[in-house]
Amino acid sequence: MHSLATAAPVPAALAQVDREKIYQWINELSSPETRENALLELSKKRESVPDLAPMLWHSFGTIAALLQEIVNIYPSINPPTLTAHQSNRVCNALALLQCVASHPETRSAFLAAHIPLFLYPFLHTVSKTRPFEYLRLTSLGVIGALVKTDEQEVINFLLTTEIIPLCLRIMESGSELSKTVATFILQKILLDDTGLAYICQTYERFSHVAMILGKMVLQLSKEPSARLLKHVVRCYLRLSDNPRAREALRQCLPDQLKDTTFAQVLKDDTTTKRWLAQLVKNLQEGQVTDPRGIPLPPQ
């Protein structure tokens, strides 16, 4: 009995120790000598400390220290000399920024400070080495965490930046994982009415998006990925909600999405199959009908 009674408070005591450790590591971010280990420890703990984001944002010098980590590796981008060690270290800093980007209490301030723009040089890189791939993927993760919130202010902010062309380039030539996150970001922008209107506002914007999506379908027919295909199909389906885009897609939707090319890949994916069927239906049904149900020629 006695041992049970003494055992009860242990979890709380452990949590308290952990809490003190978190405070200590946050303080250690301010000093270049202790920063690397603190970055590592905090990035490991970010899932288990729900209020880590406000703690990082409101503690003195912390965000400046994280931005310093990012700016410090700019010289290693061009020419591309980034090492695995450098990449791991800056990705730990990016993981903490992702935590700030995801949290409802800190997200607006994170956007108002234009912090995502510090990551865009990483998205511009084209080197295929693992350190660069990891850097791009982690940077995309921060933007992905922002769009996942489905907040209007996020889309409004991103549309003032060059995120769409950056994502399109990664969708064309990145690794499969990077392509998937970049396509997810584009999908989330399109699912917002402002984002859809922005992309369909000019023929240049729409045709750039449609061209990259078309290239991806061709690539996916050779190297299938159900997860990536799902996002591509959702992008097409959303584009078909816009009358002008729908008209254009009638001409340029890849044949592979109309025939049985992906039947095998999608055999267990009812959601994507339903989206694909809806897309084809939207494109077929586009003609305006008069009250008697007779199709009228497009105006």
Side-chain angles (χ1 to χ4, degrees), residues 30-225:
S30 297
S31 164
E33 292 74 41
T34 52
R35 187 180 297 161
E36 184 167 8
N37 182 59
L39 284 169
L40 179 62
E41 296 297 343
L42 286 168
S43 67
K44 281 189 211 161
K45 292 277 187 294
R46 69 185 195 278
E47 302 291 333
S48 53
V49 184
D51 56 343
L52 181 59
M55 286 157 71
L56 292 170
W57 187 261
H58 295 295
S59 52
F60 180 79
T62 301
I63 298 299
L66 297 178
L67 291 178
Q68 191 174 34
E69 286 296 305
I70 287 167
V71 173
N72 279 351
I73 64 157
Y74 284 172
S76 305
I77 288 177
N78 194 9
T81 57
L82 189 72
T83 65
H85 176 250
Q86 283 177 304
S87 179
N88 288 338
R89 177 169 171 159
V90 75
C91 285
N92 287 335
L94 289 169
L96 295 181
L97 286 179
Q98 178 171 332
C99 171
V100 175
S102 311
H103 199 285
E105 275 182 51
T106 49
R107 185 176 51 244
S108 294
F110 182 81
L111 290 173
H114 288 194
I115 290 173
L117 300 183
F118 284 89
L119 316 190
Y120 284 19
F122 301 158
L123 299 179
H124 270 287
T125 61
V126 291
S127 170
K128 299 279 195 207
T129 64
R130 278 181 70 95
F132 276 100
E133 273 296 351
Y134 184 39
L135 178 63
R136 275 192 297 274
L137 185 59
T138 313
S139 302
L140 283 168
V142 179
I143 311 295
L146 279 172
V147 296
K148 221 178 205 170
T149 62
D150 292 321
E151 291 288 339
Q152 185 69 54
E153 64 172 346
V154 171
I155 304 299
N156 291 348
F157 170 80
L158 291 176
L159 292 179
T160 66
T161 73
E162 56 181 332
I163 194 64
I164 294 172
L166 284 173
C167 280
L168 289 172
R169 193 167 69 185
I170 292 167
M171 285 161 62
E172 186 174 11
S173 58
S175 66
E176 191 203 319
L177 256 179
S178 290
K179 281 181 179 180
T180 304
V181 183
T183 312
F184 169 75
I185 293 166
L186 179 71
Q187 173 188 318
K188 284 293 198 180
I189 291 171
L190 280 168
L191 285 172
D192 180 90
D193 288 343
T194 318
L196 179 66
Y198 177 88
I199 284 172
C200 298
Q201 192 173 15
T202 69
Y203 184 72
E204 287 70 29
R205 285 179 199 161
F206 167 79
S207 62
H208 190 190
V209 170
M211 179 186 75
I212 300 297
L213 289 173
K215 284 184 178 178
M216 290 176 81
V217 169
L218 197 60
Q219 190 59 36
L220 283 163
S221 66
K222 296 170 190 164
E223 296 168 34
S225 156

